[in-house]
mmCIF file with all atom_site columns, all heavy atoms in Angstrom:
data_model
loop_
_atom_site.group_PDB
_atom_site.id
_atom_site.type_symbol
_atom_site.label_atom_id
_atom_site.label_alt_id
_atom_site.label_comp_id
_atom_site.label_asym_id
_atom_site.label_entity_id
_atom_site.label_seq_id
_atom_site.pdbx_PDB_ins_code
_atom_site.Cartn_x
_atom_site.Cartn_y
_atom_site.Cartn_z
_atom_site.occupancy
_atom_site.B_iso_or_equiv
_atom_site.pdbx_formal_charge
_atom_site.auth_seq_id
_atom_site.auth_comp_id
_atom_site.auth_asym_id
_atom_site.auth_atom_id
_atom_site.pdbx_PDB_model_num
ATOM 1  N N   . SER A 1 149 ? 35.593 52.026 -162.476 1.00 89.00 ? 157 SER A N   1
ATOM 2  C CA  . SER A 1 149 ? 36.655 51.264 -161.821 1.00 89.00 ? 157 SER A CA  1
ATOM 3  C C   . SER A 1 149 ? 37.863 52.131 -161.492 1.00 89.00 ? 157 SER A C   1
ATOM 4  O O   . SER A 1 149 ? 38.647 51.793 -160.603 1.00 89.00 ? 157 SER A O   1
ATOM 5  C CB  . SER A 1 149 ? 37.090 50.095 -162.718 1.00 89.00 ? 157 SER A CB  1
ATOM 6  O OG  . SER A 1 149 ? 37.473 50.569 -164.004 1.00 89.00 ? 157 SER A OG  1
ATOM 7  N N   . ASP A 1 150 ? 38.038 53.262 -162.201 1.00 92.00 ? 158 ASP A N   1
ATOM 8  C CA  . ASP A 1 150 ? 39.129 54.181 -161.876 1.00 92.00 ? 158 ASP A CA  1
ATOM 9  C C   . ASP A 1 150 ? 38.644 55.359 -161.031 1.00 92.00 ? 158 ASP A C   1
ATOM 10 O O   . ASP A 1 150 ? 39.243 56.427 -161.024 1.00 92.00 ? 158 ASP A O   1
ATOM 11 C CB  . ASP A 1 150 ? 39.839 54.675 -163.139 1.00 92.00 ? 158 ASP A CB  1
ATOM 12 C CG  . ASP A 1 150 ? 38.871 55.318 -164.128 1.00 92.00 ? 158 ASP A CG  1
ATOM 13 O OD1 . ASP A 1 150 ? 37.647 55.131 -163.980 1.00 92.00 ? 158 ASP A OD1 1
ATOM 14 O OD2 . ASP A 1 150 ? 39.338 56.006 -165.048 1.00 92.00 ? 158 ASP A OD2 1
ATOM 15 N N   . ASN A 1 151 ? 37.502 55.145 -160.327 1.00 94.00 ? 159 ASN A N   1
ATOM 16 C CA  . ASN A 1 151 ? 36.984 56.074 -159.327 1.00 94.00 ? 159 ASN A CA  1
ATOM 17 C C   . ASN A 1 151 ? 36.548 57.418 -159.922 1.00 94.00 ? 159 ASN A C   1
ATOM 18 O O   . ASN A 1 151 ? 36.796 58.476 -159.354 1.00 94.00 ? 159 ASN A O   1
ATOM 19 C CB  . ASN A 1 151 ? 38.009 56.308 -158.209 1.00 94.00 ? 159 ASN A CB  1
ATOM 20 C CG  . ASN A 1 151 ? 37.338 56.690 -156.897 1.00 94.00 ? 159 ASN A CG  1
ATOM 21 O OD1 . ASN A 1 151 ? 36.247 56.221 -156.605 1.00 94.00 ? 159 ASN A OD1 1
ATOM 22 N ND2 . ASN A 1 151 ? 37.982 57.521 -156.114 1.00 94.00 ? 159 ASN A ND2 1
ATOM 23 N N   . VAL A 1 152 ? 35.850 57.339 -161.050 1.00 95.00 ? 160 VAL A N   1
ATOM 24 C CA  . VAL A 1 152 ? 35.251 58.531 -161.651 1.00 95.00 ? 160 VAL A CA  1
ATOM 25 C C   . VAL A 1 152 ? 33.744 58.476 -161.401 1.00 95.00 ? 160 VAL A C   1
ATOM 26 O O   . VAL A 1 152 ? 33.101 57.451 -161.632 1.00 95.00 ? 160 VAL A O   1
ATOM 27 C CB  . VAL A 1 152 ? 35.527 58.596 -163.164 1.00 95.00 ? 160 VAL A CB  1
ATOM 28 C CG1 . VAL A 1 152 ? 34.785 59.777 -163.801 1.00 95.00 ? 160 VAL A CG1 1
ATOM 29 C CG2 . VAL A 1 152 ? 37.024 58.731 -163.413 1.00 95.00 ? 160 VAL A CG2 1
ATOM 30 N N   . PHE A 1 153 ? 33.197 59.583 -160.910 1.00 95.00 ? 161 PHE A N   1
ATOM 31 C CA  . PHE A 1 153 ? 31.773 59.666 -160.569 1.00 95.00 ? 161 PHE A CA  1
ATOM 32 C C   . PHE A 1 153 ? 30.989 60.128 -161.792 1.00 95.00 ? 161 PHE A C   1
ATOM 33 O O   . PHE A 1 153 ? 31.351 61.114 -162.442 1.00 95.00 ? 161 PHE A O   1
ATOM 34 C CB  . PHE A 1 153 ? 31.583 60.643 -159.415 1.00 95.00 ? 161 PHE A CB  1
ATOM 35 C CG  . PHE A 1 153 ? 30.150 60.838 -159.007 1.00 95.00 ? 161 PHE A CG  1
ATOM 36 C CD1 . PHE A 1 153 ? 29.495 59.885 -158.245 1.00 95.00 ? 161 PHE A CD1 1
ATOM 37 C CD2 . PHE A 1 153 ? 29.452 61.975 -159.391 1.00 95.00 ? 161 PHE A CD2 1
ATOM 38 C CE1 . PHE A 1 153 ? 28.171 60.070 -157.869 1.00 95.00 ? 161 PHE A CE1 1
ATOM 39 C CE2 . PHE A 1 153 ? 28.140 62.166 -159.019 1.00 95.00 ? 161 PHE A CE2 1
ATOM 40 C CZ  . PHE A 1 153 ? 27.497 61.203 -158.248 1.00 95.00 ? 161 PHE A CZ  1
ATOM 41 N N   . ILE A 1 154 ? 29.911 59.396 -162.118 1.00 95.00 ? 162 ILE A N   1
ATOM 42 C CA  . ILE A 1 154 ? 29.090 59.714 -163.289 1.00 95.00 ? 162 ILE A CA  1
ATOM 43 C C   . ILE A 1 154 ? 27.624 59.772 -162.872 1.00 95.00 ? 162 ILE A C   1
ATOM 44 O O   . ILE A 1 154 ? 27.141 58.881 -162.169 1.00 95.00 ? 162 ILE A O   1
ATOM 45 C CB  . ILE A 1 154 ? 29.259 58.655 -164.407 1.00 95.00 ? 162 ILE A CB  1
ATOM 46 C CG1 . ILE A 1 154 ? 30.724 58.567 -164.848 1.00 95.00 ? 162 ILE A CG1 1
ATOM 47 C CG2 . ILE A 1 154 ? 28.378 58.992 -165.606 1.00 95.00 ? 162 ILE A CG2 1
ATOM 48 C CD1 . ILE A 1 154 ? 30.993 57.459 -165.844 1.00 95.00 ? 162 ILE A CD1 1
#
Side-chain angles (χ1 to χ4, degrees):
S157 55
D158 55 345
N159 207 34
V160 175
F161 178 77
I162 301 174

